[in-house]
Amino acid sequence: MILSNFQKLAYMVCLVLCATICGCKKSDTAPTDKKPQSIPVVITSLSVNDGPYNTAVEITGTGFDAIAANDEVFFNSKAATISSATATKLTAIVPLGAGTGKVSVSVKNGSPVLGPVFTYELTAFVSTLAGQPASGSANGKGAAASFYAPTHIALDDAGNLYVTDMQNRQVRKIDPDGNVTTFVGKLRAGTEDGTGAGASFYLPWGITRDALGNFYVSDIGNYNIRKITPSGTVTTLTPGIAAPYADFLMMPEGIAADATGNMYVVDYSTNLARKISVNGKTNVILAGNRLSGSQDGTGASASFNRPCGIAFSPNGLLYIADSYNNTIRQMNVVGTVLTWVGTGKAGSADGSSSTATFNHPADVAFDKARNMYIVDQGNNLIRKMTYDGVVSTLAGSGAPGSADGPAKQASFNNPTGIAVDAAGNLYIADQGNNMIRKITMQ
């Protein structure tokens, strides 16, 4: 059949219309450029819910970014370092001083999402408040100051430290910022009473403070006890070398004062514990019999072996570092002595009061919670005994040294004295390092 030109034109128009209609048919396929729905940030759990600084905590949840730089983790609002990241797990390191509070996560600068509470455990840190390894007598701040065999420390109500700087024959003062000045004494041995540099000592060793702000120093080179008023006036309370045998102080190392100014002194050489009245006129033996021993009892039936440190606890009892017995002894004010902690054998074992061991403990001090702190001189350690009788190592690696830092990594060298301030900070007379060290809980 032959089509006319009109029919051919009509046929072509129909073909075009059909193609157009078919091309406009709606597709049943979903668009390929639609964005995926975001996963919400949720914290479901922590691997541990308590710990100290530097604890690694795994945070499990959803909506995290696998690129750690896009995530932020906070412990009680303090930023933490993230060591690894996936979409469902973050590992974060607890920051120093975080405190107790909720853990939170923020992704790509979004609003922080709160999670469980993390309980922060305080950690002891050791720093050097003042002094340097080289011996000297320079005043100044921190490491610019120098000491020569500092032995013991007392504090006043303002937080100033008073240090017996034995080989410099002075008492030095350190303010809370670490500024060191000379309180009393001069750089030569003597027996002079006077004010400030007008006074002289031979070998000042122990120091304590009474409720009125007076200091008492055991001057072992002069065999006597010296009194220092808050203004720095020094007087001699006991006769020294001229004392009769019954009252003679051979090496009065440890000294503590009660609320009325009576002094309790332990004599390293004679193995005696004495009570000396506030004016020095009365000097009585409370416990000991001059012989070396470890016997508990009252008065002369008790015995010591090189006692060298003594302190009052908050409950009014005295505690004595009985060096060569490797024990801490308890004594009441009438001279009844009891072995409080230590087996008698040299060692460094932590544990209960009946199993813990020490190596020539040199001094003791207490905080308000009745925790006892012990200078374990032979081990170069600072030990802690809780009120319920558990002994632990608070600070020191055991090796002699002068390293600061986290307590168990820090080191001491022949520490001799200790004091605790109202905030619970500890101060150590680190004799072998010629430094005053500070232990804080962070």
Side-chain angles (χ1 to χ4, degrees), residues 298-346:
T298 300
S301 66
S303 55
F304 303 96
N305 193 358
R306 305 299 189 189
C308 57
I310 186 170
F312 274 102
S313 71
N315 62 5
L317 293 169
L318 289 152
Y319 290 81
I320 297 167
D322 196 355
S323 179
Y324 276 44
N325 278 326
N326 298 305
T327 57
I328 305 300
R329 316 287 293 279
Q330 181 197 83
M331 184 179 75
N332 62 21
V333 294
V334 297
T336 300
V337 178
L338 175 69
T339 299
W340 192 248
V341 58
T343 66
K345 295 181 179 180

mmCIF file of all heavy atoms in Angstrom, residues 298-346:
data_model
loop_
_atom_site.group_PDB
_atom_site.id
_atom_site.type_symbol
_atom_site.label_atom_id
_atom_site.label_comp_id
_atom_site.label_asym_id
_atom_site.label_seq_id
_atom_site.Cartn_x
_atom_site.Cartn_y
_atom_site.Cartn_z
ATOM 1 N N THR A 298 55.224 -0.054 131.432
ATOM 2 C CA THR A 298 55.131 1.310 131.953
ATOM 3 C C THR A 298 56.438 1.696 132.616
ATOM 4 O O THR A 298 57.046 0.896 133.340
ATOM 5 C CB THR A 298 53.980 1.427 132.959
ATOM 6 O OG1 THR A 298 52.758 1.088 132.314
ATOM 7 C CG2 THR A 298 53.868 2.842 133.514
ATOM 8 N N GLY A 299 56.868 2.940 132.366
ATOM 9 C CA GLY A 299 58.072 3.441 133.008
ATOM 10 C C GLY A 299 59.309 2.640 132.648
ATOM 11 O O GLY A 299 59.566 2.327 131.488
ATOM 12 N N ALA A 300 60.067 2.255 133.673
ATOM 13 C CA ALA A 300 61.342 1.565 133.461
ATOM 14 C C ALA A 300 61.170 0.139 132.966
ATOM 15 O O ALA A 300 62.151 -0.480 132.525
ATOM 16 C CB ALA A 300 62.149 1.578 134.759
ATOM 17 N N SER A 301 59.976 -0.399 133.007
ATOM 18 C CA SER A 301 59.771 -1.757 132.479
ATOM 19 C C SER A 301 59.685 -1.763 130.951
ATOM 20 O O SER A 301 59.786 -2.826 130.332
ATOM 21 C CB SER A 301 58.505 -2.376 133.072
ATOM 22 O OG SER A 301 57.346 -1.674 132.636
ATOM 23 N N ALA A 302 59.497 -0.602 130.349
ATOM 24 C CA ALA A 302 59.495 -0.490 128.889
ATOM 25 C C ALA A 302 60.914 -0.202 128.402
ATOM 26 O O ALA A 302 61.746 0.330 129.142
ATOM 27 C CB ALA A 302 58.564 0.622 128.440
ATOM 28 N N SER A 303 61.187 -0.553 127.163
ATOM 29 C CA SER A 303 62.510 -0.272 126.619
ATOM 30 C C SER A 303 62.413 0.090 125.138
ATOM 31 O O SER A 303 61.477 -0.303 124.439
ATOM 32 C CB SER A 303 63.453 -1.470 126.810
ATOM 33 O OG SER A 303 62.887 -2.654 126.261
ATOM 34 N N PHE A 304 63.399 0.871 124.675
ATOM 35 C CA PHE A 304 63.488 1.325 123.294
ATOM 36 C C PHE A 304 64.867 0.972 122.737
ATOM 37 O O PHE A 304 65.784 0.617 123.487
ATOM 38 C CB PHE A 304 63.293 2.843 123.209
ATOM 39 C CG PHE A 304 62.005 3.350 123.792
ATOM 40 C CD1 PHE A 304 61.946 3.829 125.098
ATOM 41 C CD2 PHE A 304 60.839 3.372 123.036
ATOM 42 C CE1 PHE A 304 60.762 4.317 125.633
ATOM 43 C CE2 PHE A 304 59.649 3.846 123.572
ATOM 44 C CZ PHE A 304 59.607 4.325 124.866
ATOM 45 N N ASN A 305 65.009 1.131 121.424
ATOM 46 C CA ASN A 305 66.304 0.934 120.784
ATOM 47 C C ASN A 305 66.495 2.020 119.721
ATOM 48 O O ASN A 305 66.033 1.901 118.611
ATOM 49 C CB ASN A 305 66.384 -0.468 120.156
ATOM 50 C CG ASN A 305 67.793 -0.839 119.752
ATOM 51 O OD1 ASN A 305 68.725 -0.055 119.894
ATOM 52 N ND2 ASN A 305 67.957 -2.052 119.238
ATOM 53 N N ARG A 306 67.127 3.103 120.125
ATOM 54 C CA ARG A 306 67.388 4.270 119.290
ATOM 55 C C ARG A 306 66.097 4.968 118.824
ATOM 56 O O ARG A 306 65.847 5.114 117.634
ATOM 57 C CB ARG A 306 68.229 3.883 118.069
ATOM 58 C CG ARG A 306 69.530 3.170 118.396
ATOM 59 C CD ARG A 306 70.440 4.022 119.241
ATOM 60 N NE ARG A 306 71.770 3.407 119.382
ATOM 61 C CZ ARG A 306 72.719 3.827 120.201
ATOM 62 N NH1 ARG A 306 72.472 4.877 120.989
ATOM 63 N NH2 ARG A 306 73.880 3.247 120.279
ATOM 64 N N PRO A 307 65.288 5.445 119.767
ATOM 65 C CA PRO A 307 64.089 6.212 119.369
ATOM 66 C C PRO A 307 64.505 7.560 118.817
ATOM 67 O O PRO A 307 65.414 8.216 119.350
ATOM 68 C CB PRO A 307 63.324 6.357 120.682
ATOM 69 C CG PRO A 307 64.393 6.346 121.742
ATOM 70 C CD PRO A 307 65.445 5.391 121.235
ATOM 71 N N CYS A 308 63.865 7.999 117.735
ATOM 72 C CA CYS A 308 64.347 9.246 117.125
ATOM 73 C C CYS A 308 63.261 10.194 116.662
ATOM 74 O O CYS A 308 63.562 11.315 116.262
ATOM 75 C CB CYS A 308 65.292 8.948 115.973
ATOM 76 S SG CYS A 308 64.619 7.919 114.682
ATOM 77 N N GLY A 309 61.997 9.828 116.688
ATOM 78 C CA GLY A 309 60.935 10.746 116.303
ATOM 79 C C GLY A 309 59.735 10.546 117.198
ATOM 80 O O GLY A 309 59.470 9.426 117.655
ATOM 81 N N ILE A 310 58.992 11.625 117.484
ATOM 82 C CA ILE A 310 57.837 11.528 118.361
ATOM 83 C C ILE A 310 56.803 12.572 117.948
ATOM 84 O O ILE A 310 57.160 13.678 117.514
ATOM 85 C CB ILE A 310 58.245 11.725 119.849
ATOM 86 C CG1 ILE A 310 57.061 11.488 120.788
ATOM 87 C CG2 ILE A 310 58.878 13.096 120.059
ATOM 88 C CD1 ILE A 310 57.466 11.429 122.265
ATOM 89 N N ALA A 311 55.526 12.201 118.041
ATOM 90 C CA ALA A 311 54.458 13.142 117.679
ATOM 91 C C ALA A 311 53.185 12.775 118.415
ATOM 92 O O ALA A 311 52.948 11.597 118.730
ATOM 93 C CB ALA A 311 54.207 13.123 116.169
ATOM 94 N N PHE A 312 52.369 13.794 118.669
ATOM 95 C CA PHE A 312 51.034 13.574 119.214
ATOM 96 C C PHE A 312 50.075 13.226 118.094
ATOM 97 O O PHE A 312 50.122 13.787 116.999
ATOM 98 C CB PHE A 312 50.518 14.833 119.920
ATOM 99 C CG PHE A 312 50.935 14.949 121.356
ATOM 100 C CD1 PHE A 312 51.975 15.797 121.720
ATOM 101 C CD2 PHE A 312 50.280 14.224 122.341
ATOM 102 C CE1 PHE A 312 52.346 15.919 123.048
ATOM 103 C CE2 PHE A 312 50.648 14.333 123.671
ATOM 104 C CZ PHE A 312 51.692 15.180 124.023
ATOM 105 N N SER A 313 49.167 12.293 118.378
ATOM 106 C CA SER A 313 48.058 12.028 117.468
ATOM 107 C C SER A 313 46.886 12.909 117.876
ATOM 108 O O SER A 313 46.882 13.492 118.973
ATOM 109 C CB SER A 313 47.652 10.557 117.538
ATOM 110 O OG SER A 313 47.009 10.281 118.771
ATOM 111 N N PRO A 314 45.852 13.025 117.028
ATOM 112 C CA PRO A 314 44.690 13.839 117.412
ATOM 113 C C PRO A 314 43.983 13.363 118.671
ATOM 114 O O PRO A 314 43.276 14.150 119.306
ATOM 115 C CB PRO A 314 43.770 13.716 116.191
ATOM 116 C CG PRO A 314 44.698 13.478 115.044
ATOM 117 C CD PRO A 314 45.776 12.602 115.622
ATOM 118 N N ASN A 315 44.185 12.106 119.057
ATOM 119 C CA ASN A 315 43.515 11.615 120.264
ATOM 120 C C ASN A 315 44.351 11.800 121.528
ATOM 121 O O ASN A 315 43.993 11.317 122.603
ATOM 122 C CB ASN A 315 43.126 10.143 120.103
ATOM 123 C CG ASN A 315 44.322 9.230 119.904
ATOM 124 O OD1 ASN A 315 45.471 9.672 119.979
ATOM 125 N ND2 ASN A 315 44.061 7.962 119.646
ATOM 126 N N GLY A 316 45.490 12.518 121.425
ATOM 127 C CA GLY A 316 46.282 12.864 122.596
ATOM 128 C C GLY A 316 47.318 11.848 123.011
ATOM 129 O O GLY A 316 48.008 12.053 124.012
ATOM 130 N N LEU A 317 47.478 10.768 122.260
ATOM 131 C CA LEU A 317 48.511 9.782 122.553
ATOM 132 C C LEU A 317 49.769 10.121 121.766
ATOM 133 O O LEU A 317 49.716 10.747 120.702
ATOM 134 C CB LEU A 317 48.025 8.379 122.203
ATOM 135 C CG LEU A 317 46.887 7.841 123.068
ATOM 136 C CD1 LEU A 317 46.305 6.570 122.466
ATOM 137 C CD2 LEU A 317 47.366 7.585 124.494
ATOM 138 N N LEU A 318 50.902 9.684 122.279
ATOM 139 C CA LEU A 318 52.183 9.911 121.616
ATOM 140 C C LEU A 318 52.603 8.667 120.844
ATOM 141 O O LEU A 318 52.360 7.535 121.280
ATOM 142 C CB LEU A 318 53.254 10.247 122.658
ATOM 143 C CG LEU A 318 53.114 11.623 123.316
ATOM 144 C CD1 LEU A 318 53.699 11.605 124.723
ATOM 145 C CD2 LEU A 318 53.799 12.686 122.461
ATOM 146 N N TYR A 319 53.236 8.899 119.696
ATOM 147 C CA TYR A 319 53.750 7.789 118.897
ATOM 148 C C TYR A 319 55.229 8.047 118.621
ATOM 149 O O TYR A 319 55.624 9.165 118.269
ATOM 150 C CB TYR A 319 52.943 7.635 117.611
ATOM 151 C CG TYR A 319 51.549 7.129 117.888
ATOM 152 C CD1 TYR A 319 50.551 8.001 118.306
ATOM 153 C CD2 TYR A 319 51.246 5.777 117.789
ATOM 154 C CE1 TYR A 319 49.274 7.542 118.613
ATOM 155 C CE2 TYR A 319 49.968 5.302 118.084
ATOM 156 C CZ TYR A 319 48.994 6.195 118.491
ATOM 157 O OH TYR A 319 47.740 5.730 118.798
ATOM 158 N N ILE A 320 56.026 7.004 118.786
ATOM 159 C CA ILE A 320 57.483 7.117 118.744
ATOM 160 C C ILE A 320 58.035 6.236 117.633
ATOM 161 O O ILE A 320 57.682 5.053 117.533
ATOM 162 C CB ILE A 320 58.089 6.700 120.093
ATOM 163 C CG1 ILE A 320 57.612 7.657 121.197
ATOM 164 C CG2 ILE A 320 59.615 6.667 120.029
ATOM 165 C CD1 ILE A 320 57.903 7.168 122.606
ATOM 166 N N ALA A 321 58.880 6.820 116.794
ATOM 167 C CA ALA A 321 59.604 6.039 115.789
ATOM 168 C C ALA A 321 60.792 5.390 116.488
ATOM 169 O O ALA A 321 61.785 6.049 116.794
ATOM 170 C CB ALA A 321 60.060 6.941 114.649
ATOM 171 N N ASP A 322 60.673 4.086 116.749
ATOM 172 C CA ASP A 322 61.694 3.334 117.478
ATOM 173 C C ASP A 322 62.612 2.705 116.423
ATOM 174 O O ASP A 322 62.398 1.578 115.973
ATOM 175 C CB ASP A 322 61.023 2.282 118.353
ATOM 176 C CG ASP A 322 61.951 1.728 119.416
ATOM 177 O OD1 ASP A 322 63.134 2.092 119.424
ATOM 178 O OD2 ASP A 322 61.485 0.919 120.237
ATOM 179 N N SER A 323 63.632 3.442 116.055
ATOM 180 C CA SER A 323 64.379 3.196 114.828
ATOM 181 C C SER A 323 64.975 1.794 114.723
ATOM 182 O O SER A 323 64.726 1.062 113.765
ATOM 183 C CB SER A 323 65.487 4.246 114.696
ATOM 184 O OG SER A 323 66.251 4.049 113.541
ATOM 185 N N TYR A 324 65.776 1.404 115.698
ATOM 186 C CA TYR A 324 66.462 0.124 115.575
ATOM 187 C C TYR A 324 65.557 -1.063 115.897
ATOM 188 O O TYR A 324 65.932 -2.213 115.601
ATOM 189 C CB TYR A 324 67.706 0.103 116.467
ATOM 190 C CG TYR A 324 68.918 0.736 115.826
ATOM 191 C CD1 TYR A 324 68.805 1.943 115.130
ATOM 192 C CD2 TYR A 324 70.170 0.142 115.898
ATOM 193 C CE1 TYR A 324 69.904 2.537 114.536
ATOM 194 C CE2 TYR A 324 71.281 0.732 115.306
ATOM 195 C CZ TYR A 324 71.144 1.922 114.627
ATOM 196 O OH TYR A 324 72.240 2.505 114.027
ATOM 197 N N ASN A 325 64.402 -0.820 116.472
ATOM 198 C CA ASN A 325 63.412 -1.894 116.639
ATOM 199 C C ASN A 325 62.519 -2.036 115.413
ATOM 200 O O ASN A 325 61.712 -2.962 115.340
ATOM 201 C CB ASN A 325 62.544 -1.642 117.878
ATOM 202 C CG ASN A 325 63.214 -2.096 119.152
ATOM 203 O OD1 ASN A 325 63.952 -3.088 119.172
ATOM 204 N ND2 ASN A 325 62.970 -1.371 120.249
ATOM 205 N N ASN A 326 62.657 -1.099 114.474
ATOM 206 C CA ASN A 326 61.848 -1.112 113.247
ATOM 207 C C ASN A 326 60.353 -1.136 113.545
ATOM 208 O O ASN A 326 59.570 -1.795 112.848
ATOM 209 C CB ASN A 326 62.232 -2.322 112.374
ATOM 210 C CG ASN A 326 63.672 -2.275 111.934
ATOM 211 O OD1 ASN A 326 64.115 -1.296 111.336
ATOM 212 N ND2 ASN A 326 64.419 -3.329 112.257
ATOM 213 N N THR A 327 59.960 -0.396 114.578
ATOM 214 C CA THR A 327 58.557 -0.342 114.989
ATOM 215 C C THR A 327 58.145 1.084 115.318
ATOM 216 O O THR A 327 58.981 1.970 115.498
ATOM 217 C CB THR A 327 58.307 -1.216 116.241
ATOM 218 O OG1 THR A 327 59.174 -0.785 117.302
ATOM 219 C CG2 THR A 327 58.541 -2.690 115.954
ATOM 220 N N ILE A 328 56.839 1.270 115.416
ATOM 221 C CA ILE A 328 56.261 2.500 115.949
ATOM 222 C C ILE A 328 55.614 2.131 117.268
ATOM 223 O O ILE A 328 54.782 1.218 117.339
ATOM 224 C CB ILE A 328 55.218 3.110 114.989
ATOM 225 C CG1 ILE A 328 55.822 3.325 113.595
ATOM 226 C CG2 ILE A 328 54.683 4.417 115.564
ATOM 227 C CD1 ILE A 328 57.014 4.238 113.522
ATOM 228 N N ARG A 329 55.990 2.848 118.315
ATOM 229 C CA ARG A 329 55.477 2.556 119.654
ATOM 230 C C ARG A 329 54.469 3.634 120.062
ATOM 231 O O ARG A 329 54.609 4.805 119.713
ATOM 232 C CB ARG A 329 56.621 2.532 120.682
ATOM 233 C CG ARG A 329 57.869 1.801 120.233
ATOM 234 C CD ARG A 329 57.704 0.298 120.210
ATOM 235 N NE ARG A 329 57.532 -0.268 121.537
ATOM 236 C CZ ARG A 329 58.554 -0.529 122.392
ATOM 237 N NH1 ARG A 329 59.798 -0.219 122.058
ATOM 238 N NH2 ARG A 329 58.316 -1.076 123.564
ATOM 239 N N GLN A 330 53.472 3.221 120.787
ATOM 240 C CA GLN A 330 52.485 4.150 121.341
ATOM 241 C C GLN A 330 52.814 4.375 122.813
ATOM 242 O O GLN A 330 53.157 3.426 123.534
ATOM 243 C CB GLN A 330 51.076 3.578 121.212
ATOM 244 C CG GLN A 330 49.982 4.484 121.733
ATOM 245 C CD GLN A 330 48.678 3.722 121.959
ATOM 246 O OE1 GLN A 330 48.480 3.077 122.986
ATOM 247 N NE2 GLN A 330 47.779 3.801 120.982
ATOM 248 N N MET A 331 52.695 5.634 123.271
ATOM 249 C CA MET A 331 52.944 5.943 124.674
ATOM 250 C C MET A 331 51.935 6.975 125.150
ATOM 251 O O MET A 331 51.677 7.970 124.454
ATOM 252 C CB MET A 331 54.369 6.488 124.864
ATOM 253 C CG MET A 331 54.739 6.751 126.329
ATOM 254 S SD MET A 331 56.425 7.369 126.536
ATOM 255 C CE MET A 331 56.233 9.066 125.975
ATOM 256 N N ASN A 332 51.355 6.755 126.313
ATOM 257 C CA ASN A 332 50.484 7.778 126.886
ATOM 258 C C ASN A 332 51.323 8.734 127.734
ATOM 259 O O ASN A 332 52.539 8.556 127.884
ATOM 260 C CB ASN A 332 49.331 7.160 127.683
ATOM 261 C CG ASN A 332 49.787 6.342 128.874
ATOM 262 O OD1 ASN A 332 50.902 6.511 129.379
ATOM 263 N ND2 ASN A 332 48.929 5.442 129.349
ATOM 264 N N VAL A 333 50.694 9.750 128.275
ATOM 265 C CA VAL A 333 51.448 10.809 128.948
ATOM 266 C C VAL A 333 51.972 10.400 130.322
ATOM 267 O O VAL A 333 52.698 11.176 130.956
ATOM 268 C CB VAL A 333 50.597 12.098 129.067
ATOM 269 C CG1 VAL A 333 50.327 12.686 127.696
ATOM 270 C CG2 VAL A 333 49.297 11.826 129.817
ATOM 271 N N VAL A 334 51.630 9.208 130.769
ATOM 272 C CA VAL A 334 52.201 8.723 132.029
ATOM 273 C C VAL A 334 53.247 7.649 131.792
ATOM 274 O O VAL A 334 53.774 7.066 132.740
ATOM 275 C CB VAL A 334 51.104 8.211 132.992
ATOM 276 C CG1 VAL A 334 50.173 9.339 133.384
ATOM 277 C CG2 VAL A 334 50.332 7.045 132.393
ATOM 278 N N GLY A 335 53.551 7.362 130.529
ATOM 279 C CA GLY A 335 54.676 6.480 130.235
ATOM 280 C C GLY A 335 54.361 5.025 129.997
ATOM 281 O O GLY A 335 55.275 4.187 130.072
ATOM 282 N N THR A 336 53.123 4.687 129.677
ATOM 283 C CA THR A 336 52.797 3.313 129.311
ATOM 284 C C THR A 336 53.039 3.120 127.821
ATOM 285 O O THR A 336 52.474 3.837 126.994
ATOM 286 C CB THR A 336 51.335 2.976 129.657
ATOM 287 O OG1 THR A 336 51.152 3.141 131.070
ATOM 288 C CG2 THR A 336 50.988 1.544 129.261
ATOM 289 N N VAL A 337 53.883 2.145 127.484
ATOM 290 C CA VAL A 337 54.353 1.947 126.113
ATOM 291 C C VAL A 337 53.782 0.662 125.532
ATOM 292 O O VAL A 337 53.743 -0.374 126.202
ATOM 293 C CB VAL A 337 55.894 1.907 126.070
ATOM 294 C CG1 VAL A 337 56.398 1.642 124.652
ATOM 295 C CG2 VAL A 337 56.484 3.197 126.621
ATOM 296 N N LEU A 338 53.350 0.737 124.273
ATOM 297 C CA LEU A 338 52.793 -0.406 123.561
ATOM 298 C C LEU A 338 53.330 -0.390 122.132
ATOM 299 O O LEU A 338 53.379 0.667 121.500
ATOM 300 C CB LEU A 338 51.264 -0.316 123.551
ATOM 301 C CG LEU A 338 50.490 -1.364 122.748
ATOM 302 C CD1 LEU A 338 50.618 -2.729 123.403
ATOM 303 C CD2 LEU A 338 49.023 -0.960 122.635
ATOM 304 N N THR A 339 53.749 -1.547 121.639
ATOM 305 C CA THR A 339 54.163 -1.626 120.230
ATOM 306 C C THR A 339 52.921 -1.526 119.359
ATOM 307 O O THR A 339 52.020 -2.364 119.450
ATOM 308 C CB THR A 339 54.915 -2.932 119.947
ATOM 309 O OG1 THR A 339 56.090 -2.980 120.764
ATOM 310 C CG2 THR A 339 55.329 -3.015 118.480
ATOM 311 N N TRP A 340 52.900 -0.515 118.473
ATOM 312 C CA TRP A 340 51.694 -0.212 117.715
ATOM 313 C C TRP A 340 51.704 -0.849 116.334
ATOM 314 O O TRP A 340 50.699 -1.385 115.876
ATOM 315 C CB TRP A 340 51.521 1.300 117.615
ATOM 316 C CG TRP A 340 50.178 1.723 117.104
ATOM 317 C CD1 TRP A 340 49.893 2.330 115.920
ATOM 318 C CD2 TRP A 340 48.932 1.556 117.777
ATOM 319 N NE1 TRP A 340 48.540 2.558 115.816
ATOM 320 C CE2 TRP A 340 47.926 2.094 116.944
ATOM 321 C CE3 TRP A 340 48.567 1.004 119.003
ATOM 322 C CZ2 TRP A 340 46.588 2.099 117.296
ATOM 323 C CZ3 TRP A 340 47.228 1.003 119.374
ATOM 324 C CH2 TRP A 340 46.253 1.549 118.513
ATOM 325 N N VAL A 341 52.835 -0.783 115.651
ATOM 326 C CA VAL A 341 52.911 -1.342 114.302
ATOM 327 C C VAL A 341 54.347 -1.738 114.007
ATOM 328 O O VAL A 341 55.283 -1.083 114.445
ATOM 329 C CB VAL A 341 52.373 -0.349 113.250
ATOM 330 C CG1 VAL A 341 53.130 0.967 113.269
ATOM 331 C CG2 VAL A 341 52.411 -0.942 111.846
ATOM 332 N N GLY A 342 54.491 -2.840 113.259
ATOM 333 C CA GLY A 342 55.813 -3.343 112.903
ATOM 334 C C GLY A 342 56.106 -4.658 113.594
ATOM 335 O O GLY A 342 55.720 -4.866 114.749
ATOM 336 N N THR A 343 56.793 -5.544 112.880
ATOM 337 C CA THR A 343 57.105 -6.865 113.436
ATOM 338 C C THR A 343 58.402 -6.866 114.220
ATOM 339 O O THR A 343 58.680 -7.815 114.955
ATOM 340 C CB THR A 343 57.225 -7.901 112.304
ATOM 341 O OG1 THR A 343 58.368 -7.574 111.491
ATOM 342 C CG2 THR A 343 55.982 -7.925 111.426
ATOM 343 N N GLY A 344 59.218 -5.835 114.019
ATOM 344 C CA GLY A 344 60.548 -5.811 114.614
ATOM 345 C C GLY A 344 61.634 -6.189 113.634
ATOM 346 O O GLY A 344 62.806 -5.895 113.856
ATOM 347 N N LYS A 345 61.251 -6.842 112.544
ATOM 348 C CA LYS A 345 62.212 -7.203 111.510
ATOM 349 C C LYS A 345 62.279 -6.090 110.456
ATOM 350 O O LYS A 345 61.263 -5.480 110.123
ATOM 351 C CB LYS A 345 61.822 -8.519 110.855
ATOM 352 C CG LYS A 345 61.867 -9.715 111.795
ATOM 353 C CD LYS A 345 61.478 -10.998 111.063
ATOM 354 C CE LYS A 345 61.542 -12.196 112.003
ATOM 355 N NZ LYS A 345 61.157 -13.451 111.297
ATOM 356 N N ALA A 346 63.470 -5.863 109.929
ATOM 357 C CA ALA A 346 63.618 -4.864 108.881
ATOM 358 C C ALA A 346 62.984 -5.351 107.589
ATOM 359 O O ALA A 346 63.108 -6.521 107.225
ATOM 360 C CB ALA A 346 65.089 -4.545 108.652
#
